[in-house]
Structure formats: structure tokens, C-alpha cells
């Protein structure tokens, strides 16, 4: 048993210098995996906040998964999904970074009752339309 542990340790030490010298690569996920994550986290696609007399609608969650989304269409208060949320460009070296100064919409106080959102994925498929009632935190 002791010999087996020693052999395993020797083998690990022989491999360690080789793997330690290989530069780290970007660890982005394939778009189909991001699509699955977005499906199970759809209740987090948007968030709301009342702030200094404005209704804020945050798209932070979608910005964090932008490398797996081509388009974000939305409509306010039951209107058609004709608006587009412009996602930042995907950075494969930092795929989940949210660097946008304002990852939210600013609307007049009391003007938002709901938002409906639909995503378009790189494979051309669309998510279901999800509607979120305005519930500020």
C-alpha cells in the first residue's frame, strides 16, 4: 500500500511541472450550455428597483450570460416585443463580466407594470416569452 502511494505521488510530481507550465485558456462555456443555464434561471432574467423617482429594470443576469445570447427582445406593459436590449460584446477571456455602466433601463416612476422578454440564441432558436410583473426591491 505504501509503495502504491509512493508511485502515485511520483507520477503526480512528474506531471505537475508539465501542466503548471501550460498557460491557462479562457474557460468560456459552449452556447448550448449557456442556453440550458438561462432556461433554468429564467426567473432571474430581469430585476427591478425603485431609485430616486425612477423605475429601474436590470438586465444584469443576461449581461453575465451574453456569450450565449444573440438578441434580447422586450416589451413593456403588455406591448409587443419590439425593443432590443443591446448586450455588450462577448469577451471570451472574461465571458461573465458585466462591465456596462448602466445594465438597466431607467423609466419614470410608476410607469412600469411588467416587462416581457424573449431571447434569441446563436443556434437561431428562441426562448419562450417570459413576463415579469414589476416588483421593486
Amino acid at each position: 500500500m505504501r509503495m502504491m502511494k509512493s508511485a502515485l505521488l511520483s507520477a503526480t510530481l512528474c506531471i505537475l511541472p508539465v501542466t503548471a507550465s501550460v498557460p491557462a485558456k479562457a474557460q468560456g462555456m459552449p452556447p448550448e450550455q449557456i442556453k440550458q443555464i438561462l432556461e433554468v434561471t429564467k426567473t432571474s432574467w430581469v430585476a427591478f428597483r425603485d431609485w430616486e423617482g425612477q423605475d429601474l429594470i436590470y438586465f444584469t443576469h443576461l449581461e453575465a450570460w451574453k456569450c450565449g445570447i444573440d438578441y434580447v427582445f422586450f416589451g413593456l406593459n403588455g406591448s409587443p416585443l419590439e425593443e432590443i436590449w443591446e448586450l455588450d460584446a462577448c469577451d471570451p477571456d472574461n465571458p461573465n463580466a458585466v462591465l456596462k455602466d448602466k445594465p438597466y433601463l431607467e423609466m419614470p416612476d410608476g410607469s412600469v407594470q411588467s416587462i416581457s422578454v424573449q431571447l434569441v440564441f446563436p443556434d437561431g432558436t428562441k426562448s419562450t416569452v417570459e413576463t415579469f410583473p414589476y416588483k421593486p426591491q
Side-chain angles (χ1 to χ4, degrees):
M1 180 72 148
R2 187 174 199 173
M3 257 180 130
M4 200 156 96
K5 284 183 183 178
S6 178
L8 182 60
L9 179 59
S10 294
T12 303
L13 291 176
C14 287
I15 294 170
L16 186 60
V18 173
T19 57
S21 65
V22 176
K25 294 172 72 177
Q27 296 298 314
M29 288 183 188
E32 57 275 1
Q33 207 170 8
I34 295 172
K35 184 178 173 181
Q36 291 172 347
I37 290 168
L38 287 164
E39 180 60 31
V40 298
T41 61
K42 61 184 162 190
T43 59
S44 300
W45 287 0
V46 296
F48 304 102
R49 182 175 185 198
D50 283 340
W51 182 254
E52 296 182 356
Q54 293 183 315
D55 295 343
L56 303 183
I57 305 169
Y58 283 83
F59 289 87
T60 314
H61 185 77
L62 298 177
E63 285 288 340
W65 295 105
K66 63 190 164 281
C67 291
I69 305 170
D70 274 356
Y71 299 100
V72 176
F73 290 96
F74 70 92
L76 296 172
N77 305 328
S79 64
L81 302 171
E82 296 177 341
E83 302 287 329
I84 296 177
W85 175 258
E86 295 286 337
L87 294 165
D88 275 345
C90 173
D91 178 357
D93 292 329
N94 202 2
N96 298 107
V98 178
L99 303 174
K100 203 173 248 190
D101 284 339
K102 292 185 176 183
Y104 54 86
L105 289 174
E106 297 173 310
M107 303 299 293
D109 188 33
S111 66
V112 179
Q113 286 78 47
S114 67
I115 184 170
S116 296
V117 178
Q118 184 174 45
L119 309 180
V120 178
F121 301 103
D123 65 5
T125 61
K126 297 177 181 179
S127 72
T128 58
V129 175
E130 300 296 330
T131 300
F132 306 91
Y134 186 76
K135 295 179 186 173
Q137 297 178 356

